[in-house]
Amino acid sequence: MESTLDIFVKSIFSENMIFAYFLGMCSYLAVSKTVKTAVGLGAAVIFVLTVTVPVNYLLENYLLKAGALSWLGEEYTDYDLSFLSFIMFIAVVASIVQLVEMLVEKFAPALYGALGIFLPLIAVNCSILGGALFMQERQYSTLFDATAFAFGSGIGWFIAIVAIAAIREKIRYSHIPAPLRGLGITFILTGLMGIAFMSFMGIKYGKEVKKEKAQTVQTSQLTTAKTQE
Amino acid sequence: MSESLFSKKNRKLITDPLTDNNPVTIQVLGICSALAITVQVNQAIVMGLSVIFVTMMGNVVISMLRNLIPSRIRIIVQLVVVAALVIVVDQVLAAFLPDLSAKLSVFVGLIITNCIIMGRLEAFAMANKPWPSLLDGFGNGLGYAGLLVLVAVFRELFGSGTLLGFTIFGNSLPGEESGLYAMGYTNNNMMILPPMALIIVGVIIWVQRLRNKELQEDH
């Protein structure tokens, strides 16, 4: 199994929500005109992902997965409700976003002022539902791993939107061909940043490093054995 | 009925989204879930058909319910309707096209949060009768599917030298090259990487706005 730290780093860099899977592109393109609003939306995404993915993880493992209902008793072990997962996940996301919005408004008015307008947008942000669906597909073994994945993905999304917002603020002063201005150049820039982020795929994670070490030890033993012969 | 089913106004609902009001390149909706699956044309076609189905049916259902839905909870109602439709699509794909369904993985589920669908429900179906809503859904779905297939054609043709799985440029296996490959042509592996989808869309936007000056932005 991958360690929790591996999952965390991987979800920030080599499996970045925007640059590797293009999730949450709508709000990414719409709210990246200035760094300030980008920071607000990015923070809201980190927050909502870190809250919703663990809840959906529990839902998946104790309600939806094949055999997940076995805690209710013997006769429930054959139930497979996974076809309901889309509707459950989106309901959880929408209601948690609503709940979070109300709580933040009541207890942290300053934060609400900063995040408020972005929270309703987030219910239909692909990266949130995407987080839940990737969590389901990859079958993380513990709640902790799933949370680490959600938090890392949120940070990855945050980095991406703040970076593109900073570039878009500066690019206003450059002479871009008129048809490319605005949307066109943003797409191309995101593509180029995606290519840059692909270099993170070269990161070696715990398991692979160990395997490689084991291999080199084996080959060196072989060579010494051969030379002795 | 005061106007015919395919009056000029209704036809416009279908043709507009194909060009000057394309949901992806002009309205900037629905880029989210779709570009990762444009490596091969057949994936793009299946994805496009799924989205057309969901936009059409979602528009019709919401349009029929539009006078019953309280406006405070309309987003939740829309999400539930769309999610139910997507479950149907997902189950059908898993049953009849299991290989493709596995390749599309989470992206079928992500049709739920595809902004085109929510955008059309909110902007059109909530205020119009079922028949125009059906046409609007079809047109926008088609505009989206068209763009997906266009991107996929570029990526598959130049990335792997095939279209829909048929070889176009000849055999590329080392040692038995034929066609263009015998003359030293090689596939552009860059095209298979996800970021190239974005760059291709950027170029399509460029060409479109070059031809239609009204669409250009100031910044």
Side-chain angles (χ1 to χ4, degrees):
Chain A
M1 277 321 285
E2 288 173 304
S3 79
T4 312
L5 187 67
D6 287 351
I7 292 174
F8 181 66
V9 175
K10 215 180 211 173
S11 57
I12 297 181
F13 295 110
S14 58
E15 288 173 356
N16 187 293
M17 279 277 190
I18 293 236
F19 297 132
Y21 299 107
F22 316 121
L23 296 185
M25 287 294 288
C26 300
S27 26
Y28 168 84
L29 291 170
V31 194
S32 63
K33 291 208 170 86
T34 58
V35 173
K36 210 179 150 207
T37 49
V39 169
L41 185 71
V45 166
I46 296 183
F47 187 62
V48 174
L49 259 180
T50 324
V51 176
T52 55
V53 170
V55 173
N56 280 329
Y57 180 83
L58 293 175
L59 206 64
E60 159 82 4
N61 280 284
Y62 293 101
L63 192 65
L64 297 171
K65 215 160 68 176
L69 282 171
S70 53
W71 55 273
L72 273 177
E74 283 279 300
E75 65 271 32
Y76 292 100
T77 42
D78 293 338
Y79 281 59
D80 181 2
L81 296 179
S82 50
F83 68 94
L84 281 178
S85 50
F86 293 160
I87 213 161
M88 292 297 275
F89 288 169
I90 196 72
V92 164
V93 169
S95 47
I96 285 187
V97 167
Q98 198 86 58
L99 203 69
V100 164
E101 196 185 346
M102 289 187 322
L103 285 179
V104 170
E105 191 178 9
K106 180 97 172 65
F107 294 109
L111 188 65
Y112 184 76
L115 296 187
I117 48 163
F118 300 118
L119 281 170
L121 262 181
I122 280 178
V124 286
N125 185 320
C126 317
S127 60
I128 309 292
L129 186 67
L133 293 173
F134 274 126
M135 174 274 297
Q136 184 190 31
E137 193 186 69
R138 293 178 191 159
Q139 300 186 330
Y140 290 113
S141 52
T142 64
L143 183 62
F144 193 58
D145 282 357
T147 317
F149 157 74
F151 189 52
S153 305
I155 292 179
W157 206 89
F158 179 88
I159 293 174
I161 192 169
V162 172
I164 194 78
I167 295 177
R168 282 182 84 171
E169 271 188 7
K170 295 285 171 222
I171 214 160
R172 219 166 285 162
Y173 307 109
S174 10
H175 295 284
I176 306 158
L180 261 182
R181 265 177 216 156
L183 196 56
I185 195 72
T186 314
F187 267 98
I188 293 178
L189 279 174
T190 311
L192 292 176
M193 284 161 78
I195 293 174
F197 259 68
M198 291 190 76
S199 57
F200 287 115
M201 279 185 186
I203 299 179
K204 285 206 176 84
Y205 296 99
K207 205 174 63 180
E208 292 158 32
V209 174
K210 265 180 213 155
K211 211 192 266 171
E212 222 160 70
K213 266 186 193 158
Q215 270 176 354
T216 46
V217 168
Q218 265 185 352
T219 45
S220 62
Q221 277 171 349
L222 272 177
T223 45
T224 45
K226 269 183 190 165
T227 45
Q228 275 169 0
E229 276 172 18
Chain B
M1 215 173 207
S2 57
E3 54 177 328
S4 67
L5 284 181
F6 286 99
S7 65
K8 203 175 173 200
K9 206 174 111 210
N10 282 349
R11 275 203 310 266
K12 217 169 148 48
L13 289 175
I14 297 185
T15 53
D16 250 12
L18 294 183
T19 53
D20 286 345
N21 199 15
N22 188 286
V24 178
T25 59
I26 310 298
Q27 302 172 32
V28 209
L29 294 175
I31 308 117
C32 323
S33 54
L35 290 182
I37 48 92
T38 50
V39 182
Q40 287 171 333
V41 177
N42 55 356
Q43 287 177 21
I45 290 175
V46 169
M47 185 74 183
L49 289 178
S50 314
V51 171
I52 291 176
F53 171 79
V54 177
T55 43
M56 269 168 75
M57 296 312 291
N59 260 4
V60 170
V61 173
I62 291 295
S63 166
M64 287 195 287
L65 294 175
R66 70 185 186 281
N67 296 325
L68 301 174
I69 303 174
S71 70
R72 280 178 63 92
I73 57 158
R74 64 181 193 287
I75 302 276
I76 308 260
V77 175
Q78 290 166 359
L79 279 176
V80 170
V81 169
V82 174
L85 289 168
V86 171
I87 289 176
V88 173
V89 170
D90 183 53
Q91 297 289 317
V92 169
L93 286 183
F96 293 103
L97 298 166
D99 298 344
L100 215 56
S101 167
K103 268 188 204 150
L104 294 176
S105 71
V106 302
F107 293 101
V108 176
L110 286 173
I111 296 177
I112 298 173
T113 47
N114 190 320
C115 322
I116 290 183
I117 292 163
M118 294 299 286
R120 290 331 288 172
L121 293 181
E122 194 64 15
F124 200 90
M126 288 299 283
N128 285 284
K129 292 204 176 96
W131 175 248
S133 303
L134 180 92
L135 294 179
D136 179 78
F138 181 69
N140 277 285
L142 204 62
Y144 173 82
L147 192 100
L148 272 196
V149 173
L150 186 63
V151 174
V153 164
F154 277 111
R155 289 184 72 189
E156 193 177 341
L157 187 63
F158 295 113
S160 16
T162 58
L163 273 182
L164 285 169
F166 298 107
T167 50
I168 301 290
F169 294 147
N171 193 345
S172 64
L173 284 175
E176 42 184 290
E177 289 101 338
S178 65
L180 274 180
Y181 295 101
M183 292 186 264
Y185 173 82
T186 45
N187 286 327
N188 184 355
N189 288 333
M190 209 59 171
M191 284 288 180
I192 299 175
L193 305 179
M196 278 314 283
L198 285 172
I199 295 180
I200 292 172
V201 174
V203 173
I204 292 173
I205 292 175
W206 188 2
V207 172
Q208 192 180 19
R209 294 189 181 185
L210 201 62
R211 293 176 53 192
N212 190 344
K213 292 255 183 322
E214 283 169 28
L215 300 173
Q216 293 176 6
E217 295 171 55
D218 292 337
H219 277 292

